[in-house]
């Protein structure tokens, strides 16, 4: 199988849903332990969080629900791509509207998260 295939957008969107589903279940830390590269980061307004701190912060933390839309995949070569999308979610009953991007790298036979960024929609 080649790293970049015609079904890449569907594959990355599916993987992004798996991450959000893990966050809703409360096992985001475990999920992202396997899904992230060793040097991955989470970028939020005002901070850049290293992989270990991401996993610790996400384990047990939950979101009530989420809905993704406006997906766009930008291929960055044979083994890299960025998924950009909008996500409307809620945590503890408070709604959040975000633009998000996840940079994926094809590594060790699978697509892994290299970075994830969230920016609030104004």
């Amino acid at each position: 199988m080649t790293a970049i295939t015609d079904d890449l957008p569907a594959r990355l969107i599916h993987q992004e849903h798996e991450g959000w589903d893990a966050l809703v279940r409360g096992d985001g830390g475990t999920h992202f332990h396997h899904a992230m590269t060793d040097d991955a980061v989470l970028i939020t307004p005002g901070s850049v969080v290293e992989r270990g701190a991401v996993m610790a912060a996400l384990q047990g933390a939950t979101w009530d629900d989420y809905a993704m839309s406006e997906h766009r995949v930008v291929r960055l070569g044979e083994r890299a791509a960025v998924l950009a999308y909008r996500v409307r979610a809620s945590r503890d009953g408070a709604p959040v509207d975000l633009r998000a991007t996840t940079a994926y790298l094809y590594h060790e036979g699978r697509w892994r998260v290299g970075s994830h960024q969230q920016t609030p929609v104004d």
Side-chain angles (χ1 to χ4, degrees):
M1 178 176 92
T2 58
I4 302 287
T5 64
D6 289 340
D7 70 340
L8 181 63
R11 180 181 305 262
L12 297 184
I13 292 166
H14 176 78
Q15 283 189 221
E16 202 72 12
H17 275 287
E18 287 178 340
W20 279 98
D21 290 343
L23 293 171
V24 169
R25 288 190 311 270
D27 63 353
T30 300
H31 172 81
F32 287 103
H33 172 76
H34 300 289
M36 297 176 90
T37 62
D38 291 341
D39 58 350
V41 293
L42 169 65
I43 304 159
T44 60
S47 66
V48 176
V49 184
E50 302 292 328
R51 180 180 185 263
V54 168
M55 289 182 292
L58 295 180
Q59 193 60 28
T62 60
W63 288 82
D64 302 328
D65 55 34
Y66 74 94
M68 293 170 38
S69 63
E70 302 176 33
H71 304 94
R72 209 171 154 185
V73 172
V74 178
R75 297 169 193 248
L76 302 175
E78 283 297 312
R79 297 183 176 266
V82 172
L83 170 63
Y85 61 96
R86 185 173 192 160
V87 63
R88 290 183 173 113
S90 64
R91 178 183 278 171
D92 298 326
V96 179
D97 193 5
L98 304 166
R99 295 282 182 191
T101 58
T102 303
Y104 282 94
L105 305 169
Y106 193 78
H107 181 67
E108 298 177 345
R110 61 189 171 106
W111 288 97
R112 296 180 63 183
V113 175
S115 70
H116 177 79
Q117 180 171 0
Q118 296 178 349
T119 304
V121 174
D122 293 328

